[in-house]
Amino acid sequence: LLDFGEPFLWALRARLQHHKNTVYFVAGSSVGTVNYLLSEKKSPLYNLFLLRDLAPFTVSQTRDFVKKRFATVKLEIADDALDKIISITNGIPFYVQLIGLNAYFIALHKKAKNISSPLVEEAYALSLKSLPQLEKDFGKLSSSEQQVIVAVAHSQPVKPSELSKRLGLKQPNAIRELNKLISFGYLTKKDHKYFFQDNVFSDWIKARHSPA
């Protein structure tokens, strides 16, 4: 799963468990990677950490953060461009910073004085090409989980009855797969419908995988 491999993680665990008067903190925005590292029994770091889910930035926090960051490099961001960043990222800090950074590089290259909505769209398209962790998250899903998550990405929000009919699955099987994807942190449920928590992962899937 990780580029540096599990031997490194096993070596790390061998040392961590004997350290005293030391606190270790693990954080990340890739739900699949964090879940694997800390929650999967086969992971070398399983059961070593207390788990806490942190909420994304609020709309006002995202707005203030993005404006202040661009102001440090003497760039202004248009209101509709800022709204687009907020809509795409849902306040997930990693995505906010990734799209913002790519927008800055594009503005620098074009010698733009402000960040426009089309420039944010260009930065988002670039960002979708530079997220190898999403490839890894998708790759570790079973074939049935992949089939379901692709279908949800292309037609969310979706009801289990609609999904089972589309994929030729029995409804209890469709519900089981959907609930597993919720437990992995990829989907959420409201009013008996399932949809992505992570807009970027959904867009990444739609760009690379056609529905069955």
Side-chain angles (χ1 to χ4, degrees):
L1 177 69
L2 301 173
D3 293 337
F4 43 81
E6 290 196 5
F8 170 81
L9 293 176
W10 281 113
L12 182 64
R13 181 190 174 101
R15 287 157 179 76
L16 288 183
Q17 60 190 350
H18 298 298
H19 290 174
K20 298 179 180 179
N21 303 317
T22 306
V23 175
Y24 291 91
F25 177 82
V26 177
S29 294
S30 174
V31 175
T33 300
V34 173
N35 279 343
Y36 169 79
L37 284 174
L38 306 182
S39 301
E40 291 283 335
K41 289 185 178 180
K42 61 183 178 181
S43 168
L45 301 185
Y46 173 71
N47 214 27
L48 283 185
F49 294 85
L50 295 174
L51 303 182
R52 294 291 184 269
D53 289 331
L54 300 180
F57 291 156
T58 64
V59 170
S60 61
Q61 287 172 335
T62 305
R63 193 177 300 278
D64 290 344
F65 174 77
V66 172
K67 281 186 173 181
K68 288 177 181 177
R69 291 300 296 162
F70 279 127
T72 62
V73 289
K74 295 180 170 54
L75 284 172
E76 293 184 1
I77 181 167
D79 288 340
D80 59 342
L82 185 50
D83 290 341
K84 189 176 292 293
I85 290 177
I86 292 169
S87 175
I88 290 169
T89 65
N90 276 340
I92 296 174
F94 173 73
Y95 294 145
V96 172
Q97 294 184 82
L98 177 64
I99 295 172
L101 181 63
N102 282 331
Y104 165 70
F105 286 140
I106 292 170
L108 200 64
H109 176 71
K110 294 184 174 182
K111 298 181 180 179
K113 298 297 183 183
N114 59 73
I115 305 298
S116 65
S117 182
L119 195 148
V120 168
E121 291 179 2
E122 189 177 347
Y124 184 39
L126 178 62
S127 300
L128 285 175
K129 296 177 181 178
S130 57
L131 291 168
Q133 67 267 35
L134 297 186
E135 183 75 55
K136 293 175 181 178
D137 286 351
F138 184 83
K140 75 179 182 60
L141 297 175
S142 69
S143 59
S144 59
E145 290 163 356
Q146 288 180 356
Q147 185 183 36
V148 169
I149 204 170
V150 168
V152 176
H154 282 274
S155 59
Q156 62 179 317
V158 64
K159 293 181 178 179
S161 57
E162 299 167 346
L163 187 69
S164 61
K165 186 180 298 184
R166 186 176 299 124
L167 298 179
L169 297 172
K170 292 182 178 179
Q171 190 163 323
N173 293 340
I175 292 173
R176 185 185 66 245
E177 298 296 339
L178 288 165
N179 287 336
K180 280 198 294 185
L181 291 167
I182 286 178
S183 71
F184 295 157
Y186 299 132
L187 302 183
T188 188
K189 178 182 176 184
K190 184 178 181 181
D191 298 329
H192 307 293
K193 294 182 179 181
Y194 294 78
F195 54 94
F196 272 79
Q197 295 195 85
D198 185 337
N199 291 333
V200 176
F201 195 16
S202 174
D203 287 346
W204 182 91
I205 289 173
K206 287 188 289 186
R208 286 164 176 77
H209 301 279
S210 300

